[in-house]
Amino acid sequence: MAGGLLALLDDVAAIAKVAAASIDDVAAGAMKASAKAAGAVIDDAAVTPKYVHGFEAKRELPIIWKIAKGSIKNKLLILLPAALLLANFAPWLISPLLMLGGAYLCFEGAEKIYHVLVPHEGHHIAEKEVGDDPAHLEEKKAAGAIKTDFILSAEIMTIILSGIPESNFWMEASTLALAGVGITVAVYGSVALIVKMDDVGLAMYAGGNLSLTRTLGRWLVRGMPHFMKFLTIVGTAAMLWVGGSIVIHGMEELGFGWLGHHIHDWAHVVGHMVPTAWTGFVEWTSKAAMDGVFGVALGLVMIPVVSKVIAPIWGAVTGKKTAH
């Protein structure tokens, strides 16, 4: 009896070790796969603060929480099952969908650059039809943010899926779920900190007992608009880099690897122009820069295609006007 009990305890301990190792594998896989989605994640964090602009300070966090809940639903209830279906029944679709998402990232990034260089009226249409009803406006803004999040989340989840090593259904599901929740917490936690930082600075400036506290508060208030511009620039650069690299990698998988091979060779040459200690960094930076340049070129080509062809067709199908 005692021997049987000890054997059972050994089995339980072995199962626990396997379970713990599986959890570690899921966490490690989620971290590695999430890193590949950096461009879309940064853009998500850069885009979201605009949806709380103009509201009372006390409504900022509730709106962000509402958007975050919508994002979790997007990822776990819609995109995760769709991604698992793709992985198990149509894996050949993953690369084309990734390329489509990468092209969209390039379009978004190039469009931002284009509208900075060639500003025009009507790019952003103010939503006046809601009148003076702040609750209605809040609902509309949150709904718009959740729709935007759905597109970015679709890209993020597809990129994560492509980065998961071949495994079983439950490992893929667990890794996707953990990565999706982790990214959502990171993005919207960061957004919450960003949008409240000027309030923190104002409180430090107005109520600080020390001159250092008041000075830091003043810097925060003055610095946040510049930080937001910097975040937008970083997000745009990341979109173009990641989008360009996804499309180039997809072309290689489809048998059109000449561009990817040339970029790799050029980056290798540039990397070996510097001391050995810097070779890896310079080579990686050069490749990322060339991927980004390709992303800009692809995005600029797509602007007229989207505005003159895709947007009118989409408007005719949905009955809504799409502004570009």
Side-chain angles (χ1 to χ4, degrees), residues 72-89 150 157 161 169 172-173 176-177:
I72 288 287
K73 289 178 182 177
N74 283 341
K75 290 183 178 74
L76 299 187
L77 301 184
I78 302 173
L79 296 171
L80 189 149
L84 292 174
L85 285 172
L86 277 176
N88 289 279
F89 296 103
F150 183 85
M157 294 295 274
L161 178 65
F169 176 87
E172 289 175 350
L176 273 172

Side-chain angles (χ1 to χ4, degrees), residues 273-318:
M273 291 180 177
V274 298
T276 306
W278 291 92
T279 297
F281 173 76
V282 172
E283 190 170 336
W284 181 90
T285 305
S286 301
K287 184 180 182 306
M290 285 184 274
D291 288 345
V293 170
F294 171 79
V296 173
L298 176 61
L300 290 174
V301 169
M302 288 185 64
I303 289 175
V305 175
V306 171
S307 60
K308 303 297 184 184
V309 180
I310 297 176
I313 293 173
W314 180 254
V317 171
T318 61

Side-chain angles (χ1 to χ4, degrees), residues 145-233:
I146 292 169
K147 286 178 184 176
T148 300
D149 174 90
F150 183 85
I151 297 171
L152 291 169
S153 292
E155 295 163 6
I156 290 167
M157 294 295 274
T158 309
I159 294 168
I160 291 171
L161 178 65
S162 72
I164 299 175
E166 190 173 339
S167 56
N168 60 53
F169 176 87
W170 294 112
M171 183 68 76
E172 289 175 350
S174 302
T175 304
L176 273 172
L178 183 59
V181 171
I183 283 173
T184 304
V185 170
V187 166
Y188 290 100
S190 301
V191 169
L193 287 174
I194 289 169
V195 300
K196 299 308 290 183
M197 199 57 68
D198 53 350
D199 293 336
V200 171
L202 188 60
M204 291 171 65
Y205 178 72
N209 294 322
L210 301 175
S211 61
L212 177 61
T213 304
R214 293 192 295 273
T215 300
L216 287 174
R218 185 170 63 250
W219 284 354
L220 277 175
V221 172
R222 291 180 176 177
M224 284 311 296
H226 301 291
F227 176 74
M228 289 303 301
K229 288 181 181 177
F230 171 75
L231 187 61
T232 300
I233 293 169

Side-chain angles (χ1 to χ4, degrees), residues 3-142:
L5 179 59
L6 289 174
L8 177 61
L9 290 174
D10 284 342
D11 289 343
V12 170
I15 292 169
K17 287 179 181 178
V18 171
S22 296
I23 291 171
D24 288 342
D25 289 343
V26 169
M31 288 292 291
K32 289 178 182 177
S34 298
K36 292 191 174 184
V41 171
I42 293 171
D43 185 59
D44 208 354
V47 165
T48 305
K50 76 177 184 181
Y51 289 101
V52 298
H53 179 72
F55 288 98
E56 294 181 19
K58 66 181 181 181
R59 296 305 307 158
E60 289 174 343
L61 292 182
I63 293 171
I64 292 170
W65 173 236
K66 192 177 294 186
I67 298 169
K69 287 191 293 184
S71 179
I72 288 287
K73 289 178 182 177
N74 283 341
K75 290 183 178 74
L76 299 187
L77 301 184
I78 302 173
L79 296 171
L80 189 149
L84 292 174
L85 285 172
L86 277 176
N88 289 279
F89 296 103
W92 55 271
L93 263 178
I94 293 176
S95 185
L97 286 175
L98 268 174
M99 292 179 70
L100 191 62
Y104 175 79
L105 283 174
C106 294
F107 163 72
E108 283 282 299
E111 191 185 39
K112 288 180 181 180
I113 294 173
Y114 177 77
H115 285 296
V116 169
L117 299 176
V118 189
H120 64 275
E121 293 296 324
H123 177 50
H124 296 293
I125 299 173
E127 295 172 318
K128 301 289 186 182
E129 67 273 14
V130 294
D132 296 323
D133 183 0
H136 188 184
L137 178 59
E138 184 176 312
E139 287 295 328
K140 191 156 190 168
K141 285 281 189 178

